[in-house]
């Protein structure tokens, strides 16, 4: 179990003085506890974070929002029913501005191998291994969110 001091230090590393204030992220995670923890980490960057619990909900959230509402999607790959790969394919095929360009970051227990290849083929930009590493989270945010 992570000690409070370690978690506080990790969150401070992600914060970057609210660098991503004004940005909006969509987090797609079916496990309630994981969704809560990941949302806290993402919100600590200063970004607004909307959460949904499934792939179909992610497609609906993106479809129902104004174009360019979301700056990035963090999506678990393995979800029951309509999973992350299916959601990525659906998002990329939406006929709306920004759907093909929005960065989709897959969250997975193993960020390499065949799962990563399948994710990229589905339209995912890259994979992050869970539990989230704050240094990797910072790198990914900096790589895809430009000011």
């Amino acid at each position: 179990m992570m000690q409070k001091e370690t978690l506080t230090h990790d969150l401070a590393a992600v914060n970057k003085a609210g660098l991503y204030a004004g940005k909006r992220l969509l987090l797609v995670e079916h496990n309630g506890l994981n969704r809560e923890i990941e949302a806290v980490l993402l919100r600590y960057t200063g970004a607004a974070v909307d959460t949904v619990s499934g792939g179909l909900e992610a497609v609906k959230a993106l479809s129902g929002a104004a174009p360019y509402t979301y700056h990035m999607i963090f999506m678990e790959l393995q979800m029951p029913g309509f999973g992350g790969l299916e959601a990525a394919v659906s998002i990329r095929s939406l006929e709306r501005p920004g759907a093909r360009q929005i960065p989709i970051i897959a969250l997975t227990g193993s960020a390499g191998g065949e799962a990563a290849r399948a994710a990229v083929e589905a339209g995912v930009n890259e994979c992050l291994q869970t539990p989230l590493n704050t240094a990797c989270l910072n790198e990914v945010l900096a790589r895809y969110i430009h000011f």
Side-chain angles (χ1 to χ4, degrees):
M1 180 157 202
M2 187 179 288
Q3 294 181 350
K4 185 177 179 181
E5 298 81 26
T6 303
L7 180 59
T8 303
H9 173 72
D10 286 349
L11 290 174
V14 173
N15 186 351
K16 298 279 188 179
L19 185 61
Y20 299 101
K23 304 299 181 188
R24 187 170 214 89
L25 311 175
L26 179 62
L27 172 63
V28 188
E29 168 68 67
H30 86 281
N31 180 289
L33 180 60
N34 289 347
R35 186 172 54 248
E36 186 177 328
I37 292 168
E38 291 162 358
V40 166
L41 285 172
L42 291 170
R43 285 185 181 113
Y44 210 83
T45 67
V49 180
D50 293 338
T51 63
V52 296
S53 60
L56 191 54
E57 288 178 273
V59 175
K60 288 179 180 178
L62 191 66
S63 297
Y68 305 107
T69 295
Y70 293 107
H71 297 90
M72 184 179 282
I73 300 170
F74 287 87
M75 183 160 29
E76 178 186 12
L77 282 185
Q78 297 179 344
M79 295 181 281
F82 200 80
L85 294 180
E86 294 89 353
V89 169
S90 294
I91 288 167
R92 294 298 186 219
S93 66
L94 290 173
E95 293 296 327
R96 60 180 285 124
R100 289 183 182 86
Q101 295 81 26
I102 187 169
I104 301 174
I105 308 303
L107 304 175
T108 179
S110 60
E114 187 57 37
R117 281 190 290 282
V120 169
E121 288 175 9
V124 168
N125 293 81
E126 65 181 90
C127 297
L128 277 182
Q129 189 166 349
T130 55
L132 289 178
N133 173 306
T134 55
C136 290
L137 180 58
N138 276 331
E139 289 173 15
V140 166
L141 287 166
R143 193 167 22 258
Y144 292 100
I145 295 183
H146 307 285
F147 299 93

